[in-house]
Amino acid sequence: MKVLVTGGAGYIGSHAVRELILAGHQVIVLDDLSQGHRRAVHPDAIFIRGSTSNPEMLARTMGLYGIEAVMHFAAHIEVAESVAHPKKYYQNNLSNTLNLLQAMVDLKIRKLVFSSTAAVYGEPQTELLEEDHPRSPLNPYGRSKMMSEMVIEDFCKSYGMHATVLRYFNVAGATPSAVIGEDHRPETHLIPKILKAALTSNPEVKIYGTDYPTFDGTCVRDYVHVVDLARAHVCALEGLNNGISGTFNIGSEKGFSVRQVIQSCEKITGKKLIVKEEGRRPGDPAILVASSQKTEKVLGWERLYPDLDTIIKHAWQWHSSHPEGYADILPEQEFQFYQIS
Ligand code: UDP
């Protein structure tokens, strides 16, 4: 299929592009490179530098390439930043999603895979979060994704669209060959922050909150390998082609505390880390662990790399071979951009 991937130069988007191409799809990436890296985009994908904030450009791109399905990754993703700058989140994550949906309706493109998040659930009322758990996000990031989900649901009802919403839990890792990996600037996520610290002479890591109601006082999260997450998108697209749509968790049913993640990173890197205990980060729920039953049964999703040590090992292979991320590979200027404005 001809698939438009917004945010296809980002961490998760670039891994999904790679899996789509490996599965035989034709991929057109739209990314403004505000966060992403041109070098992260698979060479067989067509790359267009552009933003979802521009409705005319979206429609023109979709028409020009005969797009049949859309995967929408382009979004801001930092909880703390969303608390400080909510407008930025509602603008990019919600308003720009509306632009994309409008262009899809205008061009009669009916298939969408949407990147959502476990942050839509808020504080869990059950041990394992199932997809029908009430949505009650604790921060503007989660709310921007919940609102987008609601808009998508309404578009599906009223305009005959078919959408699959994937709610990501905590994503980490890199391709096992370390050809692409994680390079956020600044980096805020736990695993890459620890691994980048492990590369320095002062390997200091911070724990945000040690008074949570968990077994060791630190937050518990459900970590998924980025390649497994990317493969879930291919399953979602195949599902849409077979009449299957809906909302699915992408998690592992297993939670690890911040302290456990730090221990695993010490084991994999062989570095002793200096741990600093700090106060809670605003907007963080104590525990987020997914039920992945529905995704496995309905979408036929299987994980290749289920254990945390493997996820961290692949992330470490990427970070230790690319200490400056994509800047270690090639300057962005070496690539030609298709500029559609
Ligand atoms: N965290 C931490 N120290 C850090 C970064 C994150 O203790 O330097 C904690 C954070 O408070 C959360 C967990 O690690 O409880 C996972 O955070 P991350 O930002 O990786 O993902 P999130 O769960 O916010 O999507």
Side-chain angles (χ1 to χ4, degrees):
M1 287 183 94
K2 288 184 183 169
V3 187
L4 178 74
V5 179
T6 73
Y11 171 48
I12 297 170
S14 62
H15 284 81
V17 167
R18 191 165 174 273
E19 292 302 323
L20 282 167
I21 284 173
L22 293 176
H25 296 288
Q26 222 177 312
V27 178
I28 292 87
V29 168
L30 179 78
D31 196 300
D32 64 5
L33 297 182
S34 58
Q35 310 285 324
H37 307 273
R38 177 63 182 88
R39 177 62 183 82
V41 178
H42 193 284
D44 292 351
I46 291 172
F47 180 80
I48 296 162
R49 188 172 191 174
S51 163
T52 47
S53 63
N54 183 338
E56 293 79 29
M57 190 274 297
L58 278 171
R60 222 162 340 126
T61 304
M62 288 183 189
L64 189 64
Y65 290 102
I67 297 298
E68 297 165 288
V70 175
M71 288 195 184
H72 182 34
F73 294 89
H76 296 313
I77 56 158
E78 288 168 31
V79 169
E81 185 189 45
S82 80
V83 175
H85 303 290
K87 185 200 172 246
K88 182 174 172 182
Y89 279 69
Y90 292 117
Q91 184 77 55
N92 191 30
N93 295 6
L94 179 61
S95 173
N96 292 351
T97 295
L98 198 53
N99 289 339
L100 184 73
L101 293 173
Q102 185 59 54
M104 289 178 71
V105 170
D106 291 346
L107 285 144
K108 300 190 170 46
I109 299 165
R110 302 200 194 279
K111 290 171 186 164
L112 172 70
V113 181
F114 178 68
S115 301
S116 191
T117 170
V120 299
Y121 292 118
E123 205 64 69
Q125 294 163 14
T126 51
E127 206 173 306
L128 287 185
L129 284 155
E130 295 189 353
E131 288 82 351
D132 58 2
H133 183 284
R135 289 178 287 201
S136 184
L138 301 180
N139 51 64
Y141 166 60
R143 276 190 282 279
S144 72
K145 288 290 185 176
M146 178 188 73
M147 290 177 194
S148 299
E149 285 189 3
M150 291 170 162
V151 173
I152 290 167
E153 286 156 22
D154 287 340
F155 269 57
C156 286
K157 280 187 207 132
S158 300
Y159 302 126
M161 281 179 60
H162 304 283
T164 285
V165 170
L166 300 180
R167 291 186 183 145
Y168 311 160
F169 282 65
N170 287 61
V171 187
T175 53
S177 58
V179 62
I180 52 175
E182 189 162 14
D183 183 358
H184 291 119
R185 292 157 196 245
E187 188 53 78
T188 61
H189 294 113
L190 181 64
I191 291 177
K193 268 181 84 178
I194 298 173
L195 297 179
K196 283 166 87 82
L199 287 168
T200 68
S201 54
N202 180 33
E204 195 178 290
V205 298
K206 290 177 180 156
I207 299 183
Y208 297 140
T210 53
D211 60 347
Y212 283 99
T214 62
F215 68 94
D216 68 6
T218 67
C219 285
V220 169
R221 294 287 181 274
D222 179 343
Y223 293 88
V224 183
H225 197 294
V226 67
V227 171
D228 285 332
L229 170 62
R231 292 173 75 247
H233 290 76
V234 179
C235 293
L237 188 61
E238 280 164 10
L240 286 172
N241 287 334
N242 292 317
I244 299 165
S245 58
T247 299
F248 300 91
N249 285 337
I250 308 294
S252 72
E253 310 215 329
K254 243 183 131 176
F256 292 90
S257 72
V258 174
R259 288 192 208 278
Q260 287 177 316
V261 170
I262 293 172
Q263 273 168 14
S264 175
C265 289
E266 285 187 327
K267 186 170 73 184
I268 301 292
T269 62
K271 302 268 169 78
K272 183 78 196 134
L273 301 164
I274 304 159
V275 176
K276 301 259 153 134
E277 296 186 358
E278 306 229 332
R280 292 184 179 196
R281 197 173 66 171
D284 272 343
I287 305 178
L288 281 176
V289 182
S291 160
S292 57
Q293 295 288 308
K294 184 180 170 193
T295 318
E296 287 165 16
K297 281 201 190 107
V298 180
L299 289 186
W301 180 56
E302 283 173 352
R303 282 170 299 139
L304 296 177
Y305 310 110
D307 70 293
L308 181 67
D309 284 353
T310 308
I311 296 173
I312 292 175
K313 188 176 92 183
H314 291 166
W316 178 238
Q317 284 166 0
W318 159 259
H319 286 292
S320 54
S321 58
H322 304 84
E324 299 300 326
Y326 287 101
D328 273 341
I329 303 176
L330 276 177
E332 316 263 73
Q333 303 87 273
E334 286 195 19
F335 289 90
Q336 297 245 306
F337 298 123
Y338 294 83
Q339 291 267 18
I340 300 186
S341 55

